Every structure is written in structure tokens, then in C-alpha cells.
Amino acid sequence: MRIAVYPGSFDPITYGHLDIIERAAQIFDRVIVAVCVNPDKRPLFSMEERMEMIAQECAHLPNVEVKCFRGLLSDFVRQQNASVIVRGLRAVSDFETEFQMALMNRKLNPHAETMFLVAHPKYSYLSSSIVKEIASLGGEVTDFVSEQVALRLKEKFSKTRRRA
Ligand code: PNS
């Protein structure tokens, strides 16, 4: 059985992530969407919120599950008996960091191969950060995230605006 891990921050999940997950789900027997607990980042959404949103978006994909991990991705991949790490590539600018991460992960876990899926052109300019910025300024984000995620973004930022 081929198990792939698709790691990320998913703060929040966008249509760009979902496109990669759907395509990975066609290629691999099981896909684990792995949400990273990163102590250096202050995410907008809690781990529970991020996992809930991903689970809702992936409800139609029976071979996809959502987990969280802390520490090294290479260790998590080993624990899950996965042989592949999936990452999406949007543009050449992604390449340098992704290349470094792929080589380092291979050094740390030689049994796991990183595979890149090239983002669909219609999502190549999309990132969770830019979606959060647009939502924080009151812009429409329903072309980039699902209705449920857009609603959660709206709720988050209406709370912060009320506090400001
Ligand atoms: O969605 P992101 O923020 O681009 O995801 C980055 C992520 C979570 C994949 C990366 O930061 C990661 O793998 N973190 C885990 C810590 C780790 O293993 N670091 C060494 C990787 S070379």
C-alpha cells in the first residue's frame, strides 16, 4: 500500500491545497494531510479549527485522512509508514525552499521520496497568507476558499475588528 503525507500549515485550507489533495488521492492508496504544529508561527486558526476545515473539505475523499504532527516531518512520515511526501509547486519562487526541504527530508529519512505536484495555473498565485490578508481587509475570498472557510475567516476578522 502506497501511503503519502501531504504536510503544511493549512491556515486555512484553500482551493489550491484541495486541488493537490484530490490529485494525490488519485495517485496514492492513502493520503494523510498532516497539519504542522509550528511553535515559531502564530496561526490565525487553532489546530482543531484547521483540522476540522480540512476534514470537511475532504469528506468526499474516502482515502484521505487528517492528522497533526509536531517535530520533524521525516519522523512523522516514518511513524505513518508512508513512503512519499507530497508538496505543491506554484511558481519558480517556491522551488528553492522546496528543493532544500526535499533534500533535507531525504537525508533525515532516506525511505521517503518527495514528489511535487505542479499547482493548477488558476491557483498558482494563491496562498493562505494572501487569502487572510484579503479577508482581513473585508475583501471577497469565495473564489479561493470554500463557503465554510470564507465564513470562518469572516467571523475571525469581525471579532478582531470589533476588538480594535
Ligand atoms: O504550508 P507550509 O507552511 O509551507 O508547510 C511547511 C511545513 C510544515 C511542511 C514545514 O515547515 C515542515 O515540514 N515542518 C516540520 C519541521 C521539519 O521537519 N523541519 C525540517 C524540514 S526540512
Side-chain angles (χ1 to χ4, degrees), residues 82-111:
S83 52
V84 175
I85 298 168
V86 171
R87 293 285 287 170
L89 270 186
R90 289 166 299 193
V92 181
S93 51
D94 279 344
F95 185 76
E96 209 170 310
T97 357
E98 293 298 334
F99 186 71
Q100 186 183 26
M101 268 172 46
L103 288 177
M104 185 54 86
N105 282 324
R106 189 165 70 186
K107 173 85 185 143
L108 296 171
N109 179 354
H111 303 293

Side-chain angles (χ1 to χ4, degrees), residues 6 19 43-44 87 105 156:
Y6 177 44
D19 175 51
L44 177 66
R87 293 285 287 170
N105 282 324
K156 278 275 176 205

